[in-house]
């Protein structure tokens, strides 16, 4: 009985899958934040290379992965698929549980799957520097790594409270050559404005996005890079699901349930989208996105046009949203604290192709602790949401006497998040109620966009 199912380096997928080719209806247009008319590629050129803008709007089912990107992927890909024999035994479940381990990347999460191609395409376009934002630091680290591999400079605007509370991810970014600036900063107009209003501001992801976008838009040799949400990021992440399909073939299995945690939606998209075709072709397969109950974008949000950031500088997209100025409670799964969801994940959810569920954090840490004590690996707090869902589904199988095959994504390891485990183990971790009033107040500020008829 194999524990790890491994592919050869030659078997890294040569193409990304674009789910846009298999959607039930055309995606909603992306709207310019200033004019509230549909954006054109020219509007995006000051901050993105044309190759990525093309991927953003492409409806081609397959996108070739450049040779240089495959070479960089080969540092850690193909990632292993594990059969969770020990966890299954601990749960006395007849279910088979498999997981992809994306924690084996140099940055410790799935995020380099998109950081690498984003750095590559920007280098090809003659760009010298990338500007980005980071909350807890996972995306900043991934982009710093990718930039160092392709000879680009990186400027990371890091939410000020994380800059002081999470020093090790900052060190890791600096080790890979990035300049890390606590946000809000006096370096940008938007940063100065935020600081004038509140000199002691501890920052937010929305503010940091605004600073990075301004930096990229006002410097010709600098572009912007985003770690989730956008269509091209979802495409890049599909290497996870495409590898999993090949690995499950070796094991002689195919999943009944596919699970991933959902922040902006990219790691879930990466694992689940390659199975959307099977589902569209009539296969009985459940695709479940898991979110924190403190930031329940899919399960409690509204499907509407909204801004991607607090300062209302980024394009307006149709997505499930809690409102662009909703600030979620400070849970430890920092990567899941985003007010919106990817347009593609949102559309598939709206069409009933995928499902969503929300959990409070204590239950997730409980599942992660069981996982660490049986499988040995320590899940990132974000990934613990997927672990919890897989455990719950396996328990349902035990109760119903059903032998289902469950596949989930372990999106990253938790070695930089031991403070979170400390709080859990010492009983100090708080579960937050669903913040209904804050969400309702924020949803009142959605922009009014007339959906163009196509
Ligand atoms: C950033 C992050 C997430 C959430 O982002 P998605 O775009 O929803 O995948 C999940 N897990 C880990 C380990 C992360 O670093």
């Amino acid at each position: 009985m194999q524990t790890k199912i491994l592919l050869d380096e030659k078997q890294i997928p040569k193409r990304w899958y674009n789910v846009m080719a298999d959607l039930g209806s055309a995606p909603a247009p992306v709207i310019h934040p200033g004019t509230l008319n549909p954006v054109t590629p020219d509007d995006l050129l000051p901050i993105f290379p044309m190759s990525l803008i093309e991927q953003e709007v492409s409806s081609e089912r397959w996108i070739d992965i450049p040779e240089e990107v495959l070479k960089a992927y080969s540092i850690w890909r193909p990632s292993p698929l594990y059969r969770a024999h020990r966890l299954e035994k601990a749960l006395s479940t007849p279910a088979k549980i498999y997981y992809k381990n994306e924690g084996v990347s140099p940055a410790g999460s799935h995020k380099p799957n998109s950081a690498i191609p984003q750095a590559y395409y920007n280098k090809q376009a003659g760009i010298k520097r990338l500007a980005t934002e980071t909350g807890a630091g996972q995306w900043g680290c991934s982009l710093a790594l990718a930039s160092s591999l392709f000879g680009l400079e990186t400027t990371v605007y890091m939410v000020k409270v994380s800059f002081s509370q999470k020093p090790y991810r900052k060190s890791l970014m600096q080790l890979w050559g990035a300049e890390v600036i606590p946000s809000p900063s006096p370096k940008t107009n938007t940063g100065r404005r935020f600081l004038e209003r509140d000199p002691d501001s501890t920052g937010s992801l929305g503010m940091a996005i605004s600073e990075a976008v301004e930096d990229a838009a006002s410097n010709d040799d600098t572009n912007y890079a985003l770690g989730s949400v956008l269509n091209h990021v979802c495409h890049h992440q599909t290497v996870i699901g495409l590898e999993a399909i090949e690995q499950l073939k070796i094991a002689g299995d195919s999943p009944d349930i596919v699970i991933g945690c959902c922040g902006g939606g990219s790691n879930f998209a990466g694992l689940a989208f390659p199975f959307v075709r099977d589902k569209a072709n009539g296969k009985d397969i459940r695709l479940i996105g898991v979110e924190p109950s403190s930031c329940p974008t899919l399960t409690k949000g509204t499907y509407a046009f909204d801004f991607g950031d607090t300062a209302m500088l980024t394009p307006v997209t149709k997505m499930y949203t809690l409102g662009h100025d909703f600030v979620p409670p400070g849970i430890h799964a920092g990567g899941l604290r985003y007010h919106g969801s990817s347009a593609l994940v949102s559309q598939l959810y709206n069409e009933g192709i995928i499902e969503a569920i929300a959990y409070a954090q204590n239950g997730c840490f409980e599942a992660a602790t069981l996982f660490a004590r049986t499988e040995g690996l320590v899940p990132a707090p974000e990934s613990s949401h997927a672990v919890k869902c897989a455990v719950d589904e396996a328990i349902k199988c035990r109760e119903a006497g059903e032998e289902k095959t469950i596949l989930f994504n372990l999106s990253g390891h938790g070695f930089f998040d031991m403070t979170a485990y400390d709080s859990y183990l010492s009983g100090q971790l708080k579960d937050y109620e669903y913040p209904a009033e804050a969400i309702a107040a924020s949803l009142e500020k959605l922009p009014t966009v007339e959906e163009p008829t196509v």
Side-chain angles (χ1 to χ4, degrees):
M1 282 213 300
Q2 287 286 113
T3 298
K4 295 188 302 306
I5 299 147
L6 304 171
L7 297 176
D8 192 82
E9 269 175 32
K10 290 194 291 289
Q11 292 168 289
I12 298 174
K14 303 290 180 294
R15 301 182 299 178
W16 293 298
Y17 168 67
N18 176 4
V19 79
M20 220 123 54
D22 293 307
L23 292 178
S25 56
V30 176
I31 303 296
H32 191 283
T35 64
L36 294 189
N37 290 319
V39 294
T40 63
D42 282 350
D43 294 328
L44 300 173
L45 260 183
I47 60 168
F48 292 116
M50 194 42 104
S51 43
L52 288 176
I53 297 172
E54 281 166 3
Q55 289 184 10
E56 193 62 20
V57 298
S58 166
S59 54
E60 293 292 320
R61 183 169 288 120
W62 298 103
I63 299 168
D64 285 334
I65 306 179
E67 197 55 42
E68 292 297 305
V69 171
L70 289 172
K71 273 192 201 149
Y73 275 173
S74 74
I75 295 173
W76 77 97
R77 303 213 72 84
S79 71
L81 178 79
Y82 280 76
R83 170 83 187 269
H85 292 299
R86 292 174 182 80
L87 177 64
E88 289 170 18
K89 197 160 165 235
L91 294 170
S92 310
T93 178
K96 295 186 226 173
I97 307 175
Y98 291 91
Y99 57 95
K100 271 296 255 186
N101 181 9
E102 291 297 310
V104 297
S105 83
S109 77
H110 65 289
K111 288 192 172 79
N113 294 333
S114 185
I116 297 275
Q118 290 194 49
Y120 167 81
Y121 288 116
N122 276 292
K123 178 77 179 181
Q124 290 298 102
I127 289 298
K128 299 270 182 301
R129 184 168 68 94
L130 290 173
T132 197
E133 73 288 333
T134 200
Q138 292 105 319
W139 171 245
C141 285
S142 302
L143 195 69
L145 160 76
S147 290
S148 76
L149 294 176
F150 289 102
L152 291 167
E153 294 167 33
T154 321
T155 304
V156 182
Y157 293 89
M158 185 173 192
V159 177
K160 197 177 275 172
V161 61
S162 306
F163 185 88
S164 35
Q165 284 178 359
K166 312 221 169 191
Y168 296 125
R169 282 222 177 85
K170 176 184 70 186
S171 310
L172 198 48
M173 288 184 258
Q174 289 166 337
L175 176 64
W176 278 316
E179 180 190 14
V180 188
I181 297 170
S183 165
S185 81
K187 284 202 51 146
T188 63
N189 289 326
T190 23
R192 285 190 290 273
R193 235 183 18 247
F194 289 132
L195 285 173
E196 261 164 43
R197 242 184 277 159
D198 177 11
D200 301 320
S201 168
T202 52
S204 72
L205 206 53
M207 290 181 197
I209 294 179
S210 311
E211 285 205 273
V213 169
E214 181 190 320
D215 185 338
S218 51
N219 289 289
D220 281 347
D221 66 352
T222 304
N223 266 348
Y224 171 69
L226 190 64
S228 183
V229 178
L230 297 177
N231 299 349
H232 66 262
V233 181
C234 293
H235 307 338
H236 299 160
Q237 292 295 346
T238 59
V239 288
I240 304 171
L242 294 170
E243 285 176 7
I245 288 172
E246 294 309 311
Q247 288 162 312
L248 283 166
K249 265 189 214 158
I250 295 173
D253 258 321
S254 91
D256 301 299
I257 306 174
V258 178
I259 299 165
C261 65
C262 261
S266 74
N267 89 86
F268 168 67
L271 182 67
F273 281 4
F275 294 97
V276 164
R277 285 183 79 190
D278 293 347
K279 175 124 186 169
N281 292 334
K283 185 162 189 266
D284 185 14
I285 178 169
R286 294 175 60 204
L287 311 173
I288 311 176
V290 191
E291 52 188 21
S293 53
S294 58
C295 189
T297 315
L298 293 167
T299 51
K300 296 280 171 70
T302 300
Y303 191 41
F305 283 94
D306 197 9
F307 297 96
D309 70 323
T310 323
M312 302 183 284
L313 292 176
T314 59
V316 173
T317 53
K318 192 166 184 189
M319 61 179 174
Y320 280 86
T321 179
L322 300 171
H324 57 268
D325 68 359
F326 170 67
V327 180
I331 55 163
H332 282 283
L336 304 185
R337 294 177 69 235
Y338 183 62
H339 70 271
S341 182
S342 128
L344 291 172
V345 169
S346 294
Q347 182 170 345
L348 287 162
Y349 182 62
N350 189 250
E351 288 175 2
I353 307 289
I354 63 174
E355 303 168 41
I357 189 166
Y359 293 119
Q361 61 181 352
N362 270 296
C364 297
F365 277 92
E366 187 188 341
T369 303
L370 172 67
F371 188 83
R373 289 176 185 175
T374 50
E375 293 296 304
L377 302 173
V378 180
E382 290 84 0
S383 320
S384 73
H385 290 70
V387 176
K388 161 80 174 152
C389 184
V391 165
D392 278 10
E393 289 298 330
I395 291 172
K396 280 188 216 160
C397 285
R398 177 181 72 208
E399 286 163 357
E402 284 178 320
E403 191 192 301
K404 289 194 175 148
T405 300
I406 299 168
L407 168 66
F408 78 90
N409 197 24
L410 191 71
S411 53
H413 69 64
F415 286 174
F416 286 101
D417 300 290
M418 294 321 292
T419 329
Y421 281 93
D422 276 347
S423 316
Y424 170 69
L425 293 170
S426 59
Q428 276 159 28
L429 201 66
K430 258 175 66 183
D431 279 344
Y432 295 93
E433 291 294 308
Y434 155 55
E437 278 163 27
I439 292 172
S442 180
L443 283 175
E444 276 175 19
K445 293 174 210 150
L446 293 184
T448 313
V449 173
E450 298 224 11
E451 191 155 3
T453 42
V454 253

